[in-house]
Amino acid sequence: MKVDGKQIRPIWLDNDNVVNVIDQRKLPHALEVMTLTSVDEVIYAIQEMVVRGAPLIGVTGAYGVVVALETTTDQDMFRKACQRIKDSRPTAVNLAWAVERMLDNISYQNPAQERLAQAREQAGRIAGLEVDNCRRIGEHGAKLIADISKRKNNAAVNILTHCNAGWLACIEYGTATAPIYMAHKMGIDVHVWVDETRPLNQGARLTAWELGKQTVKHTLITDNAGGYLMQKKMVDMVIVGTDRSTYTGDVANKIGTYLKALAARDNDLPFYVALPSSTFDWQLTDGLKQIPIEERDPDEVRYIHGLAKTGVEKVLLTAKDSPALNPAFDITPAHLVTGFITERGICPANETAIVELFPEKR
Ligand code: MRU
C-alpha cells in the first residue's frame, strides 16, 4: 500500500536472503525497518510482535524457512529450525500452514543453491497468494458495503472493526479492511469505528494509522464503546479478521471480538469475518475446545506504551503487584457470525456452506 506516496509492504526478502520487516511495535510514531538474518531473529520478530497478524505471520514463517536454509546445511538442524518457527506463536494457523507448504516444496535431493532458489520461489508464491486473496476478499466484501450504502441512500456506512486486520497484518489490502479500502475507492461513503484493542492497542496504533494514510474516515473508540454505539444505531455492520477459524464456522480473533459479536446479535447487526483460506483450520471442528489460545505476558496488561516528550515510553498503569491475566484471543461461536468473506465469495458460517466454497477440502 502507499504511505505518504511511497509503496511499501510490511515484509520483503532481499537478494541476499535477508528478511526486511516494518517494526510494528514502533508504529504509529516511527516507521522503522528491521532486518532478520537468522532463525532466532525470525522467531524473536514473531514472538515479540515486530510482525503480527495471521497472514503476515505465515509469510514471515515462509521467509524464515528461506533463512533457515541459508544458514544451515544440516538437514536435521534445518527441520528443527522449521519446527521452532512453526511453534513460535500458537493461535494463527497461517504459520503452520505456510511452513508446511514450504517443506512440501523443498527437495533435499537437490543441490543447496537449487534448494534455496526453490524456497525463495515458494515463499514468494505464498506472499503473492495472500496478496491476491486479500484483493478478492475486498472485491466480494465491498458489495456488502455497497448494498448498505444503497439502502441508506448513499449516507455514510458505519463499520466497526476490532484489532488490526489491515495491510500491516496481511501484506496488502488486509482482510477486514480490504472491503473498506475497495468501497472507499469505489466512491462509497464509509466511516470506520476503530476499537483501540487493549492490551497492545493494535486498533489505536495500527488500524487508525493505516486508515488515515488511505484517507478513510474513521474514529477511534475504547473497546467498551461498541455496544453503546450499536444501541444508538451508529453502526451498520461489523467486519473483523481472524487468526484461525474452524471449517465449522467458529472464529478465533483478538480478545474482545466475542463481546462485539454478542452486542451485534443483540442489536440485529451483521457481523462478518474476513479471511483467506489459509486461515481456515481444516482439521478442527470445535473452536472453543480445540483452538489453542495464546496467553501472553501479564505485563502487557500492566504497562502501556505512548509518546512522551522524550520519545516513546513504557508506563506502568497499575500497582506494581496487581495480578493480571492476558489471553490474546477469544472464540466467537459460529452461530454469532453472519458470514465469512473469503477469496472465493461470501458464505454463511457453517460446514456445508464453507465446504461448498472449498470443495477440494471435503
Ligand atoms: O496478536 P496479533 O496482533 O498478531 O493478532 C492478530 C490480529 O491482529 C487479529 O486478531 C486480526 O484480527 C486477525 S489477523 C488478520
Side-chain angles (χ1 to χ4, degrees):
M1 300 288 276
K2 277 201 170 145
V3 174
D4 302 330
K6 246 182 88 181
Q7 192 71 33
I8 190 159
R9 284 184 172 181
I11 193 165
W12 65 98
L13 184 68
D14 68 23
N15 290 336
D16 301 324
N17 295 324
V18 171
V19 184
N20 295 262
V21 293
I22 293 179
D23 186 344
Q24 300 197 20
R25 299 169 305 175
K26 304 278 171 68
L27 286 169
H29 306 302
L31 181 54
E32 286 180 16
V33 173
M34 183 188 258
T35 53
L36 314 174
T37 55
S38 68
V39 168
D40 284 345
E41 286 175 0
V42 168
I43 291 172
Y44 171 88
I46 294 172
Q47 289 180 334
E48 295 303 312
M49 296 174 63
V50 174
V51 289
R52 27 71 48 209
L56 178 59
I57 293 175
V59 172
T60 309
Y63 286 146
V65 173
V66 176
V67 172
L69 262 189
E70 167 86 25
T71 50
T72 336
T73 41
D74 178 83
Q75 188 174 356
D76 205 40
M77 275 169 66
F78 168 69
R79 295 225 164 246
K80 280 190 186 134
C82 292
Q83 190 60 44
R84 284 176 55 226
I85 295 171
K86 213 168 129 180
D87 293 341
S88 54
R89 278 191 85 188
T91 303
V93 74
N94 302 59
L95 182 55
W97 171 84
V99 172
E100 274 157 24
R101 217 176 149 115
M102 289 295 291
L103 291 175
D104 286 349
N105 284 280
I106 297 167
S107 163
Y108 241 89
Q109 320 307 347
N110 292 338
Q113 277 317 308
E114 222 168 284
R115 264 195 320 253
L116 206 49
Q118 262 180 335
R120 280 183 66 93
E121 194 190 319
Q122 185 57 29
R125 229 180 277 145
I126 289 172
L129 183 74
E130 293 302 36
V131 171
D132 214 40
N133 286 343
C134 286
R135 187 179 45 75
R136 288 173 207 267
I137 287 169
E139 287 164 2
H140 294 299
K143 290 183 202 141
L144 294 171
I145 301 174
D147 286 348
I148 295 174
S149 167
K150 215 177 284 162
R151 258 202 333 266
K152 291 184 75 176
N153 291 323
N154 303 325
V157 179
N158 290 295
I159 302 165
L160 185 141
T161 193
H162 191 70
C163 200
N164 173 264
W167 66 266
L168 285 166
C170 308
I171 324 293
E172 294 272 5
Y173 316 111
T175 51
T177 55
I180 295 168
Y181 288 138
M182 187 65 72
H184 178 66
K185 204 170 141 197
M186 287 157 64
I188 297 170
D189 191 358
V190 280
H191 166 262
V192 184
W193 296 110
V194 181
D195 281 356
E196 61 178 346
T197 320
R198 277 281 289 149
L200 294 181
N201 292 307
Q202 289 95 327
R205 293 188 303 108
L206 307 176
T207 305
W209 178 79
E210 264 198 31
L211 293 171
K213 292 294 176 194
Q214 305 304 317
T215 67
V216 175
K217 282 192 292 181
H218 62 283
T219 308
L220 185 63
I221 52 173
T222 63
D223 289 329
N224 302 322
Y228 168 75
L229 296 179
M230 291 182 199
Q231 288 174 318
K232 288 287 184 184
K233 313 262 177 262
M234 292 163 78
V235 178
D236 296 302
M237 72 189 304
V238 179
I239 311 180
V240 295
T242 167
D243 300 85
R244 184 189 303 224
S245 289
T246 66
Y247 69 92
T248 52
D250 295 339
V251 172
N253 194 47
K254 185 52 61 191
I255 193 78
T257 302
Y258 171 52
L259 294 178
K260 293 299 135 67
L262 282 173
R265 176 56 53 91
D266 193 45
N267 289 281
D268 250 331
L269 287 169
F271 180 94
Y272 282 97
V273 177
L275 77 169
S277 50
S278 53
T279 306
F280 274 117
D281 189 317
W282 301 101
Q283 313 296 325
L284 306 187
T285 52
D286 185 329
L288 201 53
K289 285 202 183 122
Q290 297 172 312
I291 296 180
I293 298 296
E294 178 181 14
E295 215 174 280
R296 293 184 63 85
D297 189 338
D299 272 356
E300 290 180 352
V301 180
R302 278 190 284 257
Y303 288 83
I304 196 158
H305 289 81
L307 188 61
K309 278 196 184 121
T310 47
V312 172
E313 278 185 19
K314 182 179 171 184
V315 175
L316 181 63
L317 274 176
T318 63
K320 234 194 176 119
D321 54 357
S322 290
L325 178 74
N326 188 12
F329 302 95
D330 62 19
I331 304 294
T332 300
H335 69 91
L336 293 178
V337 178
T338 308
F340 284 117
I341 309 171
T342 79
E343 71 265 24
R344 296 215 187 146
I346 299 167
C347 72
N350 64 59
E351 178 176 346
T352 312
I354 294 165
V355 174
E356 206 166 293
L357 269 191
F358 297 94
E360 71 277 18
K361 303 289 182 192
R362 188 160 293 165

